[in-house]
Amino acid sequence: MTAITLDALDLSALLCSRVCHDVISPVGAIVNGLEVLEDEKDESMRGFAQDLIKKSARQASARLQFARLAFGAAGSAGAAIDTGDAEQVARGFIHDERTTLNWHAPRVLLPKNQVKLLLNLLVIATTTIPRGGVIDLTLTVEGDKGTFHIASKGINARIPQSVPGLLAGAPESGSVDAHGIQPFYAGLIARAASMSVDLTIEGDIVTILAKPQAE
């Protein structure tokens, strides 16, 4: 595999496409719900529409808050991020009827790239259990360096074929599109944070281990 480099314009465009992809569904549901409220006289249908709008608005807000930390600047250069804030947006992003997030981590300030990597690895963890399941995150901290152990367990757990290459910055296809930009970006963040990332699978459990590189 050959490592590739994206220029700043392509990287920003692909990340914007990713964020839009994440929020377009709940925003579209809000629009549909509002149209039902305008046209529908039946009270049960209006109640259904109101519930849909509330649920979709919460989902859109959660995804935008997550994207702000996982993909955005999240403070000035050199800033640290509270892992408690990371937990809050992670729970909002992952919360659904199929997937449970167990968060085992102290509340500390970590360099922003480490926290951004952690959130991006959680996104990858959700892709390893397409039918849902349980994601267990354990964070250990030594000084200003964190080690992340993420175990995702579910039916048909697997490591998506393209992810290891994208994380390494060397996709098998030789290019990156909007679908693959998130794991590619996670690899960029890992290297910026001087951390290694390894994915393994055993049975129905996929493990993601991110740790500081030896100096």
Side-chain angles (χ1 to χ4, degrees), residues 117-141:
L117 176 61
L118 172 59
L119 294 176
N120 275 274
L121 293 180
L122 284 174
V123 175
I124 293 173
T126 65
T127 69
T128 66
I129 44 174
R131 297 179 63 181
V134 178
I135 298 174
D136 287 296
L137 162 70
T138 302
L139 164 64
T140 56
V141 180

Side-chain angles (χ1 to χ4, degrees), residues 5-18 176-178 181 184 188:
T5 301
L6 294 179
D7 65 33
L9 286 176
D10 286 340
L11 177 62
S12 60
L14 289 170
L15 284 174
C16 285
S17 293
R18 166 68 196 217
V176 183
D177 57 16
I181 190 59
F184 182 84
L188 292 177

Side-chain angles (χ1 to χ4, degrees), residues 34-117:
L34 290 172
E35 290 176 348
V36 170
L37 287 181
E38 287 181 353
D39 302 331
E40 185 62 56
K41 302 302 181 183
D42 182 84
E43 286 303 317
S44 63
M45 287 299 298
R46 290 178 63 84
F48 173 81
Q50 289 173 340
D51 290 341
L52 176 64
I53 292 169
K54 291 177 182 178
K55 178 181 178 180
S56 299
R58 286 194 297 267
Q59 188 178 58
S61 177
R63 292 184 179 186
L64 286 171
Q65 290 181 57
F66 182 90
R68 177 178 173 271
L69 279 188
F71 307 130
S76 59
I81 298 177
D82 189 328
T83 56
D85 294 337
E87 177 184 4
Q88 182 179 2
V89 300
R91 290 192 181 281
F93 180 81
I94 292 176
H95 175 72
D96 59 33
E97 293 79 11
R98 301 186 310 159
T99 307
T100 299
L101 172 62
N102 295 322
W103 183 280
H104 308 286
R107 183 161 191 170
V108 296
L109 290 173
L110 282 179
K112 70 175 183 179
N113 279 343
Q114 292 186 40
V115 177
K116 288 160 70 72
L117 176 61

